[in-house]
Amino acid sequence: MSKFVQAAQTSQVLSLTALEEASRQGLREADIEHLFLALVLSDQVAGRVLREMGIGIDDARRAVREQHDAQLASLGVRAVLPDPGRDRVPRDRWLRVEAARR
């Protein structure tokens, strides 16, 4: 198998895995953080290295979620995403925009 075909297959597998990770969060498009999660799950060298460094999928998902929340909080927005496997966020956990501090 040529290197090009092998790279194309790896790219396709990573893209599909990233889309699955985005879907777990109720999103229809994958971003860079979903590609990172796909790498953690990957059987490729990058995935093995990440896991050997102690980065498991649960820790990686938590880190991505915390980073996302921190970025929104820096803008004064507190958003709550549905738990994996749920279609909706309960009404009492809807998006809240906090007053900007002066």
Side-chain angles (χ1 to χ4, degrees):
M1 173 183 328
S2 73
K3 284 190 174 195
F4 174 78
V5 171
Q6 187 176 11
Q9 287 177 339
T10 299
S11 177
Q12 181 181 20
V13 168
L14 288 174
S15 295
L16 290 173
T17 305
L19 285 169
E20 288 174 7
E21 285 297 317
S23 179
R24 286 175 54 88
Q25 298 175 358
L27 303 173
R28 295 181 184 198
E29 295 180 2
D31 289 323
I32 192 73
E33 64 266 19
H34 303 113
L35 184 57
F36 166 68
L37 295 173
L39 282 171
V40 172
L41 291 167
S42 171
D43 289 333
Q44 300 296 322
V45 174
R48 290 192 305 264
V49 169
L50 288 168
R51 288 188 301 278
E52 286 172 8
M53 294 177 62
I55 301 172
I57 190 61
D58 292 332
D59 291 333
R61 286 177 179 146
R62 185 172 33 262
V64 166
R65 187 172 47 251
E66 289 172 359
Q67 178 66 25
H68 183 257
D69 292 346
Q71 289 173 336
L72 288 175
S74 73
L75 300 171
V77 176
R78 189 174 74 98
V80 180
L81 295 175
D83 295 326
R86 295 198 55 160
D87 292 337
R88 300 180 271 172
V89 173
R91 184 177 293 260
D92 64 330
R93 295 178 60 205
W94 280 4
L95 175 71
R96 292 181 183 87
V97 177
E98 298 173 0
R101 298 181 190 149
R102 294 179 191 233

